[in-house]
Every structure is written in C-alpha cells, then in structure tokens.
Amino acid sequence: MINIDAKSHVRGESVYLDDIPLLEGTLFACVYDSQVAHGKLKSVDISEAKQCAGVVKIILAKDLKGENQIGGILPDEPLLADEEVHFCGMPIAIVVAETDEQARHAVKKIKAEIETLEIITDERIAFEKGSLIAPPKKFVMGDTEKAFKDCEHIFEGQTYSNGQEHLYIETQGAYTIPSEQGGIKVYSSTQGPTAVQKAISKVTGLPWHQIEVDVTRLGGGFGGKEDQANAWACICAVATQLTKKPVKYSLHRMEDMRMTGKRHPYSADYKIGLDKDLKIIAYEAVFYQNAGASCDLSLPVLERTLFHCTNSYFIPNVMATAYSCKTHLPPNTAFRGFGGPQGMFVIESAIAHAAEKLGVDKAEIQQKNLLQNDDEFPYGQKVVSEAEQSWHQADHKFDFNRLKSEAEEFNSSSKYFKKGVSLMPICFGISFTNTRMNQARSLVHVYLDGSVAVSTGAVEMGQGVNTKILQVAADIFSLSQERVKVHTTNTLRIANTSPTAASAGADLNGHATRIACEKILERIKKVASEVLEVNSEEISLRDGMVFIGNSPTEMTWVKLLEKCYEKRISLSEHGHYAPPGINFDWSTAKGHPFAYHVFGTAIIGVTVDCLRGTYEIDYVKACHDFGKTMNTAVDLGQIEGGIVQGIGWMTMEEVFYDGQGRLRSNALSTYKIPDVYSVPKEIDILPLETSRENLAIMNSKAVGEPPLMYGIGAYFAIREAVKAFNQNNFLQFDAPFTAEKVLMNLYKNQSN
Ligand code: MTE
Ligand code: HPA
Ligand code: MOS
C-alpha cells in the first residue's frame, strides 16, 4: 500500500500551515528577539515601531493575561523576556500588524537596552560553575571500581558530539482564530497538540476546553516540534486574545534557525575495561549535556542518553552519570533519537579506542559483547535480543570480510584515496521513558454509507503514521483503503494526547484504533448473527461482504450497517490503549521502561580523498529488525531518511555559536545538510528474519528513530580511512567529522 499522502504531495494539494486559507481581517505577528545571550533587560523602546504603518499592537511580557511561562517540565522558560534575557533569539516583544511585511518592518524599529552579563556557551564551563538544570542522573549496575581491578586492559578518554539543526522543510508557525465565548481555535505545526493547548492555557489564562488545537500534518518535525512549537502558538494566541482577531506567524528560515533549540551537544568522559578475551567487563561514563538556557525536554533527553549508554552490548559493571548543564544558548530539545545517539557515540568511541590501542579490529570487540537473550541492561530490564541475529544475517548476506578486504586491497594500491569500513550495531528502546506518556486514544465512526472516519492523537509529519493507522482500520473491517479516512489531529476529538514522538506514534495510536474498530466489529457481528441466525463466531467480513464460515451471503457491509442502525446499535467507538508491563522507578533507577527494543547491524563503507579531506559514503548495508513490517515502502523510507540524517549529524552538519552565543551557522549557506551528492551511493536493507511476537502494532516494530544511529558508523568508517593514510596519529573523538577536520587529521603528526 502506498503512502496515503503520496498523490496529494505530488500534486501540491497537501495542506500545511501556510496552505490554510486566511480569514478576512487576519493579522500577522513577528517577534523581536534578543541579540544578547545573557543580560539585564533595562528597557524596551517600542515608540518608533508603534508608529509604523499597519501596526495594530505591540505585546510585552507585562501585557500577558496569564502567566509568562511556557516551561513544560520545569517552570524556567518565560514566553517573553521580562527582567533578563537568557539567549540570543529569546523573544522580547510581539509586533502584530496588518501584513506580514509590516510586522517584520516594525520589529526592526524596536530597541532594547540590555546590560550584558557573563555568557556561558560551553557545557563543561557551565558544569564547573555549578550551572545545572537539575541534579545529575545516574545508572549503576554491578561494581565498576572492583571490576576495573580485574581488567586486563583499561582505556580512558573524552568525546564530543555537536548539536544538529532539525531543518524541517516547514518552519515553525501557527494560526489562531477567535471562537465564541472567548475561546481560540489554533492551527499549529506541532507534534504535540495537547502541549500547545496546555501552554496556551497558561499564557492566556483560558481553560483547556476553550482551546481547540488542530493539526493536519507537518512538513517535518524530527523532535523539533515536540515542545518548541508551543512558543509560536502561544505568541499567536496571546495576540488573538488581545486583539480579538485571527493572527498568523510563520517563521522565516533564519528566524527559525536562530530562535529555536537543536539536538543537544554532549561532552563526555569514558573509561572502559576489558578482559584478555576482549570482553568488556566495566564501563564508566560521565555525560555533560549542553541544555541551553532552560530545561525544555533536556531532562528526559538526558535520561535516554543513560538508557542507551551501552548500545547493544552487555556490560556487567556500569556506572553512568549525566549532567544537564545550563548555558546561554537557545534551549536544546528533542531530536530523532532523543539523547540515545549521543550516548551510543561515546561507547562506540570507547570501543574504537580500545581496538586501536590493542591493534585489533573494532568489529571483533563489538561482536564479542553483543547482547544475548535475558542479559540485563543497566536499568534493570532483561532484553529480548536480536543483536547477534542481525549481526549474523548481515554478515551472511553482505560478507563483512569481503567488504573489509576489498577496502584493504584498494588502500594498498591507492595513495591519495583511502577506504574505510565500519560496523554499527544498534539497539533502541521503544516507549516514552516516562511511563505515563505511553497511552493513546482513537475515535472511530462508521457511517451508514459504509465509509469510516478515524481520528487519533497521532500527528502526521511525513513518517507515514496515518497510512499505518488507516491500514489497521481497513484491515479489521476488511475494507478497501478508499473507504477509510484518517482525519486531522484535533484536541476536541482526542483529548490529553502525548506528543507523536519516541517512535511510538504508530504503536500507541494504531493499537487504540485497533481496539476501537474491534469493539465496533464485535457489535456489528452480533447484529449479523441475529439477522442471519447463526453464531457470531461464524460471521466474518471480507471485502465489503458478510461471510458465514467460508461462504459469502447476500448481505453487504452497507446493508448490515443499516440493520445495526435499525436496531439502534452504536457505530462509533473511542478506543484507549496503554501498553502493558512497562514501568520505571527513578528512586532505584531500575524497571522495565520499554515495550520492546529494535535491533539492527549496519556496515558502512566510505572513500576519503586524502588531498582534499572530502569523502563519499559508498554504501550502507544493514540487516534491520522490522519485526514484521506492515508497510515496506513507508518503513524503508524511514530507514533511508534516518540513515542520511544520522550521517549528516556525524559528518557534515556543524552548528556553530560564537563566544557571544550568536549562531553563525544561521542559514543554509553556512549550515550544510546532506544533499543528493553526499547521500550514500547505495543503501541496502535486509529485513531480519525473526518470528518472535512483540507489542508493536501488527507486529510491525517502530522504525522512526532507530535507523538514525546507523549513521554513527559513517564517523568510524571515515576514521578507519584516515588511519589508513596516517598511522601516526591517535585521533580525537570529535563529531561531526567535517572535511576540514578530516584534512587536519590526515596530516597531523605525520612523520613521512
Ligand atoms: N520522518 C519524517 N518524514 N519526518 C519527521 O519529522 N520524525 C522522526 C521519525 N521520522 C520524522 C520522521 C521522529 S523524531 C520520530 S520520534 C518519529 O518519526 C515519530 O513518528 P512515529 O512515532 O509515528 O514513528
Ligand atoms: N522519547 C521521545 N520524546 C519524549 C520522551 C522519550 O522518551 N519522553 C518525553 N518525550
Ligand atoms: Mo522524536 S525526537 O521522539 O520526536
């Protein structure tokens, strides 16, 4: 089945925020933001801006009717700067004008007097100064101190991984419309309609039932709109409340890049200990997360770094500590992988360190330590592991030794081009680590003409979740896909939603839809059994016809629905799903947080141009654990996109703030993401063969985030190629491995 949005995307008919027809009288908002990263806000002069043509209102913190607070986890994030500014790009004032151009013009006339205070941009400096978002988090298993005493080999080092700009094609934005009795209807490009509703409630003082949030789809979110869509929706809502007019704000690319947070940069210390057989006996890591100026989602991101700090390896003695460091950068936020990739980069670096010093192949250490069934993670959960299976099936299909010797052979006869190959196993836990967020609802109506309308809490952002949800309903009622429509995500139809995140959107909302459809089906079948005078168990529906056993009857799906209506049986249902068996207790830092894990093993090959420092990704070949995919095309699309995004983070995307906390990589000319030339020349995905049952919808495991982490392999493949050229250099673990850094490393400490 093709993605249900494919045709309307190609025709340009799909509706995004900017495609919503505007009501007459719509006003436009634009934000005046701080140019200083940290300072005392002495005064804001709006007198000149007020006089500008078309300006209707200028809103400052003091004008808000509700609280000046949008922090979702900690109340540490004002919507508008009040007494202090905390980062470059922090909103100070909202200009509301008759046209977008007029609003943007007037913003330039605002002046703020800011007394600069000390600016911290570096996480380690923040840590030294005691500037933390919250107390540290820690995972402990076994006894590392004791275990290190028994280790044959111990290696210690530091790593750094930089942030990443989400670069969703559709920038942040919102459109708010006044409704009766002082309410507000909100169109928002958000992954979290309820998060938007809650934040607007706070800043306007309106109760939740006065706020309707509606989302058709996003032009990408990647985590950047899990929490950070709230501010823009709040800005429009506040303006609508104060002007009683519809208000729209759609950010320009440079505003978006400057004012919103990104993937968290991490600095880390590691210590790894191995026995003489290369088994990893002990691992210690300390993570310093650069949270930015307020908490946002930094704490759950930090926690997931700990959850994934041992990747797909079993290590009996682990101590991992994580600090969320408060700096004067825009608050960093969720980004595909949610802290997991940052944790996995560190253990992969530690293993590379050990392998290089011991003169063994990194893959040998990786393979020797793969998780086995029933091994325990540092957080107490026992694993149902596919780590070895995916490794072996990938090896069988792609032949690791052949690929490695091809590279070696090439290198022996090539002076200025070198190839590198690296293996990257992944293990990613599926569920929100905050157990209570793992719930979802679905509203299903079966109409008397035989068509079906489904609404859930899931937000479509290109990942194909609506296609999967439609498949669930069509499958249960045995209807063709044209007879089912998945409608917009709307807080009046589905309340108290979790954001569409943690790769759990299809599982949670798919199961809720399954439950709703099954309940309706049960009632319908009962009516059919009464009319046809057989047992309900003998009834089934196939392609719009009622069957008794294997024999078709005269009764159509539509006729049966008429009978249900006649008998006054409800054809609607509100399904609720909460995955069973998950829990986590932070007082002991143990539990069973994940419904299941997704595994896979990739082999990545690169070629480095040793005169220029540039490189090409030759291939990514992976055996990936889909469970049993319910939509191959959608899932392969997710894998390809995830791999490319992961490679971008690890190799070329370089977020750069200067010492004053100003974003210098603030446009597409200075921030480079993978393009058609830099994507792998070949992506070959082999589905893991396994028949194990799991908690995924239709056994089709979540696929949104895990493949991103195959991209880490590209970093280590480039490292292999650089080492093939320059053996006299122990390279730092410093991502991304930009062409510039590659070039420096190719010629560092070179004796010949
Ligand atoms: N794919 C596309 N095309 N666009 C996106 O914004 N977001 C990713 C992933 N794949 C994203 C995407 C992220 S961060 C997550 S958590 C999941 O999709 C969310 O959707 P799911 O739960 O339905 O997998
Ligand atoms: N993953 C993604 N998003 C989240 C999570 C998580 O575990 N927790 C809260 N938001
Ligand atoms: Mo994804 S980072 O959980 O939105």
Side-chain angles (χ1 to χ4, degrees):
M1 179 181 166
I2 64 159
N3 189 315
I4 52 171
D5 284 341
K7 284 184 182 151
S8 68
H9 278 2
V10 171
R11 293 187 188 125
E13 290 168 356
S14 298
V15 173
Y16 297 87
L17 187 83
D18 259 350
D19 299 309
I20 298 170
L22 298 184
L23 293 172
E24 189 154 340
T26 292
L27 302 175
F28 294 82
C30 185
V31 155
Y32 170 75
D33 61 300
S34 178
Q35 292 177 34
V36 175
H38 187 205
K40 274 211 162 66
L41 184 59
K42 306 279 252 201
S43 65
V44 186
D45 179 3
I46 57 170
S47 54
E48 198 187 336
K50 253 180 155 169
Q51 303 302 317
C52 289
V55 170
V56 174
K57 196 160 190 70
I58 297 179
I59 301 164
L60 297 169
K62 65 173 173 44
D63 302 318
L64 302 183
K65 296 232 168 155
E67 260 182 85
N68 182 22
Q69 185 51 244
I70 57 166
I73 291 177
L74 297 182
D76 66 348
E77 190 175 357
L79 176 65
L80 297 171
D82 197 354
E83 280 160 11
E84 281 200 356
V85 292
H86 299 134
F87 62 93
C88 284
M90 183 173 185
I92 294 175
I94 309 165
V95 174
V96 189
E98 283 163 11
T99 70
D100 192 33
E101 293 72 24
Q102 288 170 336
R104 288 173 193 283
H105 173 78
V107 156
K108 298 198 185 108
K109 307 293 173 192
I110 296 180
K111 290 175 210 82
E113 196 192 332
I114 299 171
E115 183 189 310
T116 304
L117 299 170
E118 185 193 24
I119 295 164
I120 302 172
T121 59
D122 181 284
E123 55 285 336
R124 296 233 183 204
I125 293 175
F127 173 77
E128 277 159 26
K129 294 190 183 258
S131 172
L132 296 180
I133 296 281
K137 297 273 178 177
K138 198 169 196 155
F139 276 1
V140 180
M141 180 162 74
D143 184 341
T144 45
E145 200 188 324
K146 211 166 122 235
F148 275 122
K149 293 197 180 115
D150 300 329
C151 286
E152 186 85 8
H153 314 287
I154 295 175
F155 303 97
E156 287 181 73
Q158 263 194 21
T159 70
Y160 181 77
S161 64
N162 201 346
Q164 186 178 23
E165 163 63 42
H166 299 86
L167 225 93
Y168 23 64
I169 301 283
E170 180 193 39
T171 55
Q172 304 268 4
Y175 182 35
T176 53
I177 298 166
S179 58
E180 281 188 345
Q181 301 166 11
I184 302 179
K185 172 154 190 180
V186 185
Y187 294 100
S188 164
S189 181
T190 179
Q191 292 174 238
T194 296
V196 164
Q197 184 185 29
K198 181 180 172 188
I200 290 178
S201 167
K202 211 154 198 186
V203 296
T204 59
L206 292 172
W208 290 24
H209 72 268
Q210 286 276 32
I211 303 159
E212 173 189 359
V213 182
D214 191 273
V215 185
T216 302
R217 66 166 64 68
L218 319 186
F222 305 112
K225 296 169 182 171
E226 180 173 339
D227 207 59
Q228 299 216 348
N230 297 0
W232 323 106
C234 284
I235 281 163
C236 292
V238 160
T240 285
Q241 185 182 33
L242 296 175
T243 61
K244 300 196 162 46
K245 297 274 192 179
V247 176
K248 184 176 167 182
Y249 189 16
S250 172
L251 272 66
H252 282 185
R253 179 62 65 188
M254 287 176 83
E255 290 173 334
D256 190 305
M257 291 180 84
R258 182 175 79 232
M259 298 199 278
T260 67
K262 316 192 184 308
R263 184 188 291 284
H264 293 81
Y266 273 71
S267 181
D269 300 325
Y270 63 82
K271 181 172 174 186
I272 189 169
L274 302 91
D275 70 10
K276 59 178 184 347
D277 300 321
L278 301 180
K279 281 265 186 196
I280 306 171
I281 302 300
Y283 180 60
E284 283 181 3
V286 183
F287 299 98
Y288 302 91
Q289 175 201 55
N290 192 329
S294 56
C295 176
D296 189 276
L297 292 167
S298 294
L299 295 178
V301 168
L302 189 80
E303 290 164 13
R304 200 176 266 275
T305 301
L306 292 178
F307 281 108
H308 294 306
C309 73
T310 52
N311 189 14
S312 42
Y313 309 110
F314 173 66
I315 306 178
N317 302 285
V318 175
M319 185 163 76
T321 315
Y323 298 93
S324 182
C325 309
K326 188 168 172 170
T327 60
H328 300 109
L329 299 182
N332 287 315
T333 193
F335 197 137
R336 208 171 193 170
F338 206 73
Q342 291 96 319
M344 285 158 65
F345 178 68
V346 181
I347 181 76
E348 292 301 324
S349 297
I351 292 173
H353 185 159
E356 288 171 26
K357 293 289 180 197
L358 296 172
V360 301
D361 187 353
K362 180 174 180 237
E364 194 183 335
I365 302 181
Q366 290 174 309
Q367 191 184 356
K368 281 211 164 120
N369 291 281
L370 290 173
L371 283 161
Q372 314 257 348
N373 250 350
D374 275 340
D375 277 346
E376 194 173 319
F377 286 107
Y379 47 90
Q381 183 163 345
K382 294 232 166 100
V383 65
V384 178
S385 180
E386 307 280 9
E388 290 202 303
Q389 288 83 338
S390 73
W391 182 286
H392 289 309
Q393 287 180 30
D395 194 7
H396 185 72
K397 167 93 195 275
F398 303 120
D399 195 346
F400 298 158
N401 281 336
R402 178 181 59 90
L403 292 167
K404 280 185 214 158
S405 42
E406 271 174 19
E408 275 164 29
E409 235 166 81
F410 176 93
N411 289 348
S412 64
S413 61
S414 167
K415 185 154 186 214
Y416 289 116
F417 286 90
K418 296 288 182 192
K419 286 194 186 292
V421 175
S422 161
L423 276 139
M424 184 65 203
I426 60 154
C427 166
F428 197 78
I430 302 301
S431 290
F432 289 95
T433 57
N434 184 352
T435 301
R436 56 192 272 175
M437 294 176 77
N438 296 287
Q439 50 172 307
R441 282 155 291 279
S442 172
L443 179 64
V444 178
H445 296 312
V446 177
Y447 293 100
L448 291 175
D449 72 343
S451 65
V452 178
V454 182
S455 297
T456 74
V459 168
E460 177 62 51
M461 51 187 133
Q463 86 280 39
V465 68
N466 282 353
T467 301
K468 290 185 172 179
I469 286 167
L470 188 152
Q471 278 180 269
V472 170
D475 186 65
I476 291 172
F477 293 130
S478 188
L479 295 172
S480 63
Q481 75 179 79
E482 296 75 36
R483 278 188 138 159
V484 184
K485 177 162 175 176
V486 180
H487 283 264
T488 63
T489 316
N490 185 297
T491 54
L492 295 187
R493 270 174 272 125
I494 305 294
N496 310 320
T497 61
S498 290
T500 299
S503 302
D507 278 0
L508 296 175
N509 295 279
H511 274 302
T513 302
R514 172 186 60 77
I515 288 165
C517 292
E518 282 173 354
K519 282 190 179 157
I520 296 172
L521 183 66
E522 201 179 315
R523 293 200 289 265
I524 292 179
K525 276 191 181 172
K526 183 152 177 285
V527 169
S529 75
E530 285 165 15
V531 174
L532 298 168
E533 298 178 337
V534 292
N535 276 335
S536 180
E537 296 85 70
E538 293 175 55
I539 302 280
S540 66
L541 291 165
R542 295 185 205 171
D543 300 326
M545 294 304 296
V546 180
F547 276 62
I548 300 175
N550 275 327
S551 327
T553 67
E554 298 280 282
M555 188 176 275
T556 63
W557 161 247
V558 172
K559 274 195 206 142
L560 176 55
L561 296 177
E562 275 163 18
K563 289 285 177 203
C564 293
Y565 187 74
E566 221 174 276
K567 288 180 179 278
R568 297 185 290 171
I569 301 299
S570 167
L571 293 172
S572 297
E573 193 63 55
H574 193 102
H576 169 84
Y577 176 69
I582 51 172
N583 61 75
F584 195 74
D585 179 0
W586 267 109
S587 71
T588 54
K590 300 280 179 200
H592 188 105
F594 298 118
Y596 58 89
H597 291 82
V598 173
F599 292 86
T601 301
I603 179 156
I604 296 101
V606 304
T607 306
V608 171
D609 176 336
C610 301
L611 288 176
R612 295 172 180 82
T614 54
Y615 43 77
E616 291 186 338
I617 314 292
D618 300 325
Y619 58 80
V620 178
K621 301 167 193 272
C623 175
H624 185 81
D625 168 25
F626 293 95
K628 189 176 178 318
T629 175
M630 65 188 285
N631 192 317
T632 308
V634 165
D635 284 356
L636 282 178
Q638 283 297 291
I639 294 194
E640 289 171 8
I643 286 175
V644 169
Q645 203 164 33
I647 290 175
W649 168 54
M650 278 283 109
T651 66
M652 62 197 301
E653 298 184 37
E654 196 166 33
V655 176
F656 184 76
Y657 290 95
D658 65 20
Q660 295 304 301
R662 277 182 306 237
L663 182 67
R664 290 313 180 97
S665 53
N666 65 350
L668 291 174
S669 51
T670 44
Y671 187 77
K672 182 86 184 103
I673 66 161
D675 58 17
V676 70
Y677 300 104
S678 39
V679 298
K681 293 191 179 46
E682 184 192 344
I683 294 182
D684 195 351
I685 305 301
L686 171 74
L688 177 81
E689 277 176 35
T690 167
S691 50
R692 270 204 269 253
E693 293 284 307
N694 56 57
L695 282 172
I697 182 68
M698 296 171 88
N699 264 315
S700 181
K701 282 190 173 182
V703 71
E705 292 165 290
L708 180 128
M709 284 147 273
Y710 292 135
I712 297 172
Y715 180 94
F716 291 96
I718 294 172
R719 190 175 169 95
E720 290 299 320
V722 172
K723 283 195 309 162
F725 184 82
N726 178 1
Q727 280 101 12
N728 306 318
N729 184 9
F730 181 77
L731 317 179
Q732 290 181 324
F733 295 101
D734 177 14
F737 219 153
T738 57
E740 187 180 347
K741 283 188 210 157
V742 169
L743 191 64
M744 299 306 276
N745 277 302
L746 284 166
Y747 295 95
K748 210 159 106 186
N749 302 334
Q750 216 191 28
S751 52
N752 52 358

